[in-house]
Amino acid sequence: MQGVPEPEGHLRVLTDSLRAKHAVEWRDGVVEDRRYEYFRGKDFAMYFKQHPEKFSSWIPDKSGGDEDAQIKSITELLVRKGFIRRVDRMYKKPKPGKKRLAKWPKKLVPVRDRELQTFAEDAFYAWMYDRPASPYLWLWSAMIAVAVLAACLFPLAPYKIKIMVVYLSMGLLITLVGAILIRGAVAGVTWMAAGRSFWLLPNVLSEEVGIKEAFWPLYAMGEAEPSTITNIALRVGFALLAAGVSWLLYANAPDKGQAGRARDAFVDFLDRIPDQLSIGGATQANSTRPGTAFDQSRPDLQNAAPRT
């Protein structure tokens, strides 16, 4: 895709406002091995109807009061000036295991037919110029540089900083793994019991949404499956398998003594982490620590040479 537009005065001001926060909703997509921001036609039409005053100076008189004609004329103007270009999803069929097409596809292809470079609510349009840099972009760039520098200097960090980083990393890892296991267990139990899954944070592992949308909604119910004999037998089979695995885990669970020893071993491992993190800690400790009885039992090699 080519055709990055030159600044068009007030029209560039309009397009920048359309790309501002809380304006026309957009996502990132890959078009011909390059990343673009794109929006949907229906989101553009919705924004136009909510804020018609922003487009008033660009609406031709011949369009009258017909909103659809006005939206079409604005879209064609942006296409003609090179600010946007119509694109289409690369894959026309849902992915294996999915019943619907992605609302925001990751990969798109340009629509090369000029006659199709018109407005349609079910179409996608890619912005053909880079978004104006915001102060937050510079702030995040500086924070990333500081984070990289801090990671490089981690071996030289004080003892307390290293301990804090280790415990924080372990806590985050345990939290993420635990949340994923609980999420899967809840979905599995509800599917085996009712034939439909209850998902906590249904979009958290999705590749089709951004970071903000990944944590919303908090829960969702999956589509109900048909109550066929095969489906019921499959659910009963998985329920029996889950019950058998749970019984095996319970029957072979360690007793209180073994669990206590495992806990003590884990605590001892955590206590040894500071020594492993300290640079040259062992060498420095050996050089400054007073000799023990075991150290004093070593032979005196300097005085052990034969006299001549």
Side-chain angles (χ1 to χ4, degrees):
M1 288 173 54
Q2 299 177 351
V4 178
E6 296 294 334
E8 293 285 345
H10 295 295
L11 186 58
R12 176 63 181 269
V13 175
L14 172 64
T15 57
D16 288 348
S17 68
L18 296 178
R19 306 183 70 178
K21 190 176 182 180
H22 304 305
V24 180
E25 189 176 1
W26 59 273
R27 292 292 189 278
D28 283 326
V30 177
V31 185
E32 294 183 339
D33 299 327
R34 183 178 173 184
R35 188 168 295 277
Y36 289 86
E37 294 179 0
Y38 72 97
F39 60 91
R40 300 180 299 182
K42 63 179 182 180
D43 294 323
F44 182 83
M46 184 184 303
Y47 187 80
F48 179 92
K49 295 176 181 179
Q50 294 174 351
H51 307 276
E53 68 281 356
K54 291 188 176 182
F55 304 88
S56 58
S57 59
W58 299 100
I59 297 175
D61 297 335
K62 61 182 180 180
S63 62
D66 187 357
E67 285 187 338
D68 294 336
Q70 295 173 357
I71 295 172
K72 181 179 179 181
S73 65
I74 291 293
T75 305
E76 292 177 350
L77 175 64
L78 296 178
V79 171
R80 188 167 61 253
K81 294 295 184 179
F83 284 94
I84 63 174
R85 183 172 178 180
R86 185 170 174 176
V87 293
D88 196 5
R89 60 176 75 241
M90 178 178 291
Y91 304 107
K92 309 294 184 180
K93 296 181 179 180
K95 293 182 179 180
K98 301 287 186 179
K99 296 182 179 180
R100 299 177 181 177
L101 288 170
K103 184 186 299 184
W104 296 94
K106 290 293 184 181
K107 293 185 177 181
L108 304 105
V109 293
V111 176
R112 304 190 183 278
D113 191 348
R114 291 184 175 274
E115 296 182 357
L116 295 178
Q117 292 293 333
T118 57
F119 176 77
E121 288 197 356
D122 59 348
F124 302 102
Y125 298 89
W127 290 105
M128 300 303 297
Y129 72 99
D130 294 332
R131 171 189 294 273
S134 64
Y136 294 102
L137 177 62
W138 301 108
L139 177 61
W140 282 110
S141 300
M143 292 178 63
I144 291 174
V146 172
V148 172
L149 181 61
C152 295
L153 296 177
F154 178 75
L156 303 178
Y159 160 77
K160 291 183 178 180
I161 298 297
K162 293 180 179 180
I163 291 298
M164 182 179 65
V165 171
V166 170
Y167 287 165
L168 180 62
S169 301
M170 294 180 62
L172 289 176
L173 181 61
I174 294 174
T175 301
L176 290 175
V177 174
I180 292 175
L181 292 177
I182 293 175
R183 179 175 178 269
V186 171
V189 170
T190 53
W191 174 74
M192 289 182 291
R196 56 188 307 183
S197 301
F198 178 81
W199 287 102
L200 300 172
L201 298 175
N203 295 328
V204 72
L205 299 179
S206 176
E207 299 179 356
E208 308 294 340
V209 299
I211 296 178
K212 294 181 180 180
E213 292 79 7
F215 297 94
W216 189 263
L218 298 178
Y219 60 89
M221 289 294 297
E223 296 183 358
E225 298 183 358
S227 299
T228 61
I229 297 179
T230 303
N231 182 268
I232 295 175
L234 184 65
R235 287 157 48 196
V236 171
F238 272 103
L240 294 176
L241 178 63
V245 171
S246 300
W247 180 82
L248 287 175
L249 293 176
Y250 177 79
N252 295 277
D255 55 22
K256 293 183 178 180
Q258 292 177 336
R261 288 192 294 271
R263 184 188 65 242
D264 294 339
F266 181 71
V267 173
D268 183 61
F269 166 75
L270 295 180
D271 292 338
R272 290 198 304 269
I273 289 179
D275 297 333
Q276 298 173 358
L277 290 177
S278 60
I279 300 178
T283 304
Q284 184 178 3
N286 291 334
S287 62
T288 59
R289 184 176 54 191
T292 60
F294 184 78
D295 294 330
Q296 295 174 357
S297 65
R298 296 179 180 179
D300 188 357
L301 298 180
Q302 294 181 351
N303 299 324
R307 297 181 179 179
T308 57

